[in-house]
Amino acid sequence: MNTNKNFILKGEIAFSLNEKEIQTYHEGYVVCKEGICLGAFPDLPEEYKYFPLIDCGNHLIIPGMTDLHVHAPQYTYRGIGMDLELLEWLNQHTFPEEAKYADTAYASKAYSYFAEDLRRCFTTRAVIFATLHNQSTINLMDQLEATGMITYVGRVNMDRNGGEKLQEESAEVSLQGTREWLDTIQGKYKNTFPIITPRFIPSCTDALMQGLGKLSEERNLRIQSHLSENKAEIAWVKDLVPSSSCYANAYEMFHTLGDNNRPAIMAHCVYSDEKEIAILKKHGTFVAHCPESNMNLSSGIAPVRKFLEDGLQVGLGTDVAAGSSMNLIKTMLCTLQASKMYYRLVDTNVKALTFEEVFYLATRGGGKYFGNVGTFQNGFEFDAVVIDDSKMHSMRNMSIRERLERMVYNDSDCIIMDKYVKGKQIYYHE
Amino acid sequence: MNTNKNFILKGEIAFSLNEKEIQTYHEGYVVCKEGICLGAFPDLPEEYKYFPLIDCGNHLIIPGMTDLHVHAPQYTYRGIGMDLELLEWLNQHTFPEEAKYADTAYASKAYSYFAEDLRRCFTTRAVIFATLHNQSTINLMDQLEATGMITYVGRVNMDRNGGEKLQEESAEVSLQGTREWLDTIQGKYKNTFPIITPRFIPSCTDALMQGLGKLSEERNLRIQSHLSENKAEIAWVKDLVPSSSCYANAYEMFHTLGDNNRPAIMAHCVYSDEKEIAILKKHGTFVAHCPESNMNLSSGIAPVRKFLEDGLQVGLGTDVAAGSSMNLIKTMLCTLQASKMYYRLVDTNVKALTFEEVFYLATRGGGKYFGNVGTFQNGFEFDAVVIDDSKMHSMRNMSIRERLERMVYNDSDCIIMDKYVKGKQIYYHE
């Protein structure tokens, strides 16, 4: 265990310079000083020669990854009911399971599996949905804080269409519960932040949406939700908010899209068209691209190339449990595969995303939501993952770039050796 | 290690009854007698009470899986160059690497990685491409025979478009080499069978194809090749064999599609239309569906639902290295995801494959190529895999069907404990 505040990792280093370029250093150095990265170097600069050096040998050293969209209470039933589409899956699997989180003891046990597995994966930052239960949500936040991860956690709001067991009595009850949750955790955590979380328009009446928009402004809190994931969902939203010009406009009408200083996260955006893209851009919204989920639930494929060309903020989300794993490496692979299928089956004028672009999305793209996070440039917060990929035999010396790509295409054959969040080691392989 | 000839496995059993139904037995029994399965049972029949019983506890016990299409010499560079499409990828990565297999020592080392990892995965039967080098191919066959797996291995034929280093001088040289290979291994193996392997039409002149068709008939050997994988490839074949009515017809013209008693395997069939399907059906050809490869190389998605409705024989192929892993569980997941995307993006009238159907394809669908293989019904050869999925915590008792689905969606979280091929244990977890 490395407990130094200032230190150097030496090894096979890779990080994004921008969306198109990955910088690599063979036997390179990345320097951490009090949680901040002072840069990565092919040769160690003179001024850091007295920092303790941890030699990671032939291991890969990459920036930590950001999961912009994951549902903690869905973790323990991931990979079930995947022959269904979104609305059926929510009613048959998700809502009955989330209702159980009224029982804090149940939640505490289930969340312990989630928190521990999150600590062990490539993710260093995450933005998380809990349930509509205050005590269970606080229990989750306590457990996340203990891991050393840096996260946003949302106590979910739902006052319609959740069935008997997963629905609050009224908009006011839901808002009051949210205020109580926020008051209870005020000042409690260093690394675990609250985020306002209307599940999606079908779960929240106009009154609740308006109240949440107002609450987020009053308390200067960010918002997360779901947008344009599934065709039946989109049609439903149009019925529920007939005055909206599109799904994104419905969120906009309720002042729940925030702005560049308080950006919202909208998960999916599979069917976001020009009009919707313009709205998201205006508000500085982050798109959480969740391709595994979108394939598993037959939702479709989001036009990520278009989002990037239009200057939207985009990161990746595992979307457990519609995504089956918290492994962002797997999400990277699905991002590549989905993008290739979009090119092949939808529009051959839209080039597939490159490996470089997808590596950027997983690290720096989502990391931006947390500020200077997601790469090894000078001044960034020091999030890093050290990886042993030696289980994959090769017949020649591979470049670092080749090893990175091989790792993504063979997610299960790599071992995470160490993980750092803001300079603190929060995991090591035993 | 279980060295009994007759024995019973007890545990959580699942196997296909047909394309639509998975039979499961909680604390059930599956009986093996001299390599043959005598059936699976909820209660142990009286007549087997004296067979040694191996209690697998809460582990899953499923039939072994068949990989209908995998390239052994590509294994050590899997997951590289995946931003390319087929023809560029072959020229930049595959052909230069396969040329190295002229060196038998190089091949021997590389094939040892392949053979050992194949022994450790869900696959119990495989149909394999080697290279055009006789000694290296024989080395591969020696190593595979030692694993206890049951396989077909093809010494590849190529007399055009392989570049300087991976091309035989003439059709006659290629045919003569193939005959020598067959003569050398005559009677050498119990579980490793030769298969005639023209790489694909662009690699083989008409004279070579005709010669291979004749050779396969003379020696009563099966044939494997590639069909309709990529649009540029298909256009090229049309140029190369202008008299053919379609790509499949080109194979048919050269008598390389065999018949029901000597069925060919054609990998991919992404763009096989009604005409091509009719040809494949007429010859009893097996389609090796390789969805991970087809997504990775932006090839497209094969219409598997259509193949099944039309009564084609279909199994799964990993297609390493265009597929990145020999893990057929991962191929199952890609089959599901690709099928859902075909439904969503190509034709909403074509329903996505169900989990039951994909489990069938991985076990019994491909297993049929080897005869009575791929399920636990009475009289089938006893191929079985025992799996520990306890690493995936759950908050309730899951049905065996749920555990199977969860395993496929979380391929990396399961441990193979034991593997049996035709009643012989060839692997156990240490």
Side-chain angles (χ1 to χ4, degrees), chain A residues 79-80 82-83 85 106 113 295-296 298 324 330 337 340 343-344 355 395 398 405 409-410 412, chain B residues 79-80 82-83 85 106 295-296 298 324 330 337 340 343-344 355 393 395 398 405 409-410 412:
Chain A
I80 304 287
M82 297 276 92
D83 284 356
E85 289 194 40
Y106 181 91
Y113 298 140
M295 291 202 279
N296 289 348
S298 301
S324 58
K330 194 168 174 177
Q337 291 174 333
K340 289 168 182 177
Y343 155 76
R344 174 57 64 208
F355 181 80
M395 292 299 288
M398 302 181 96
E405 186 179 2
Y409 280 86
N410 294 277
S412 56
Chain B
I80 304 288
M82 297 275 92
D83 284 356
E85 289 193 39
Y106 181 91
M295 291 202 280
N296 288 348
S298 300
S324 57
K330 194 168 175 179
Q337 291 173 333
K340 289 169 182 177
Y343 154 77
R344 174 58 63 207
F355 181 80
H393 298 293
M395 293 297 289
M398 301 181 97
E405 185 178 2
Y409 280 85
N410 293 277
S412 56

Side-chain angles (χ1 to χ4, degrees), chain B residues 39-284:
Chain B
F41 309 94
D43 301 294
L44 187 60
E46 190 60 33
E47 64 260 46
Y48 308 129
K49 291 242 157 111
Y50 297 100
F51 279 31
L53 185 145
I54 292 117
D55 191 339
C56 302
N58 193 37
H59 293 164
L60 295 166
I61 305 172
I62 64 173
M65 295 184 178
T66 292
D67 189 343
L68 281 185
H69 186 66
V70 55
H71 292 263
Q74 300 177 13
Y75 185 61
T76 63
Y77 71 95
R78 64 198 185 281
I80 304 288
M82 297 275 92
D83 284 356
L84 301 173
E85 289 193 39
L86 175 66
L87 300 177
E88 295 73 29
W89 179 76
L90 286 174
N91 285 320
Q92 290 182 37
H93 292 274
T94 303
F95 292 172
E97 175 64 22
E98 288 195 13
K100 296 179 187 166
Y101 285 67
D103 175 352
T104 311
Y106 181 91
S108 179
K109 185 175 175 198
Y111 282 148
S112 73
Y113 299 141
F114 172 80
E116 179 54 18
D117 286 357
L118 190 63
R119 190 175 74 89
R120 291 167 174 268
C121 70
F122 286 88
T123 306
T124 52
R125 315 260 172 158
V127 187
I128 301 166
F129 275 59
T131 64
L132 52 75
H133 311 98
N134 281 11
Q135 279 314 309
S136 295
T137 302
I138 292 167
N139 180 287
L140 171 62
M141 296 177 86
D142 290 346
Q143 295 198 50
L144 286 167
E145 182 76 7
T147 63
M149 307 272 305
I150 299 180
T151 62
Y152 284 85
V153 176
R155 177 265 194 222
V156 175
N157 298 93
M158 303 173 70
D159 70 342
R160 67 177 169 189
N161 297 317
E164 254 179 53
K165 293 190 170 168
L166 196 71
Q167 189 171 304
E168 297 168 285
E169 284 163 47
S170 67
E172 190 39 51
V173 167
S174 183
L175 290 165
Q176 182 55 27
T178 306
R179 285 188 288 262
E180 286 168 9
W181 165 60
L182 292 169
D183 292 342
T184 307
I185 60 168
Q186 181 75 38
K188 191 174 183 196
Y189 307 114
K190 194 177 142 207
N191 292 322
T192 313
F193 308 106
I195 181 168
I196 300 297
T197 305
R199 182 171 212 116
F200 64 160
I201 299 269
S203 297
C204 302
T205 60
D206 292 7
L208 178 53
M209 289 302 295
Q210 275 155 356
L212 291 172
K214 206 170 152 217
L215 183 63
S216 72
E217 282 167 4
E218 284 169 6
R219 304 225 182 182
N220 193 29
L221 291 171
R222 297 182 182 197
I223 290 182
Q224 63 179 344
S225 197
H226 299 89
L227 176 64
S228 297
E229 175 177 2
N230 167 290
K231 287 187 175 183
E233 171 214 17
I234 294 167
W236 194 14
V237 169
K238 185 68 199 160
D239 277 353
L240 291 166
V241 192
S243 62
S244 61
S245 63
C246 63
Y247 197 161
N249 176 245
Y251 285 115
E252 194 177 32
M253 284 167 57
F254 300 124
H255 300 283
T256 53
L257 283 187
D259 55 43
N260 281 307
N261 296 319
R262 200 166 47 78
I265 294 176
M266 286 290 146
H268 307 301
C269 305
V270 171
Y271 294 100
S272 293
D273 58 8
E274 295 290 351
K275 190 163 61 177
E276 209 152 77
I277 290 171
I279 293 171
L280 299 177
K281 187 167 182 186
K282 179 178 154 197
H283 292 273

